[in-house]
Amino acid sequence: PTENDEIKDNLSYEEIPVQILDRQVRKLRTNEVALVKVLWRNQFVEEATWEAEEYMKKRYPHLFESGGNADQGTNSLLSTI
């Protein structure tokens, strides 16, 4: 069952991030890119995706306000499954 409160006319909906599970920095040739692993609503932990941290901070700042460790969130989430 899904919780799609706002299904659009074209049968699409915006996926909402629930929690940041992990963080890593990828080194490219000339720069580094910070990534976060995001758990989305209506998805399983195995389906979490890596997203650019800068984009996620701009779009969903509330996910970064807690100041908690991402690893702690993963452990508490996995213990409830």
Side-chain angles (χ1 to χ4, degrees):
T2 59
E3 299 175 15
N4 299 330
D5 299 331
E6 298 182 20
I7 297 178
K8 299 176 184 172
D9 291 337
N10 63 359
L11 300 179
S12 66
Y13 65 96
E14 180 180 356
E15 196 61 81
I16 298 172
V18 176
Q19 183 179 14
I20 301 296
L21 301 177
D22 198 2
R23 182 181 187 277
Q24 71 179 16
V25 176
R26 287 282 175 128
K27 283 192 165 195
L28 302 177
R29 290 181 187 208
T30 59
N31 61 351
E32 296 178 345
V33 177
L35 301 171
V36 290
K37 192 169 189 178
V38 180
L39 176 64
W40 301 92
R41 185 178 69 177
N42 302 324
Q43 303 290 324
F44 297 110
V45 173
E46 296 84 13
E47 298 172 315
T49 59
W50 288 99
E51 307 291 338
E53 182 177 36
E54 184 177 330
Y55 171 78
M56 294 301 290
K57 279 185 177 180
K58 287 180 184 176
R59 184 95 193 254
Y60 307 103
H62 64 279
L63 293 174
F64 298 89
E65 291 174 356
S66 66
N69 187 351
D71 294 334
Q72 290 174 348
T74 303
N75 292 337
S76 64
L77 180 65
L78 292 176
S79 65
T80 60
I81 295 176

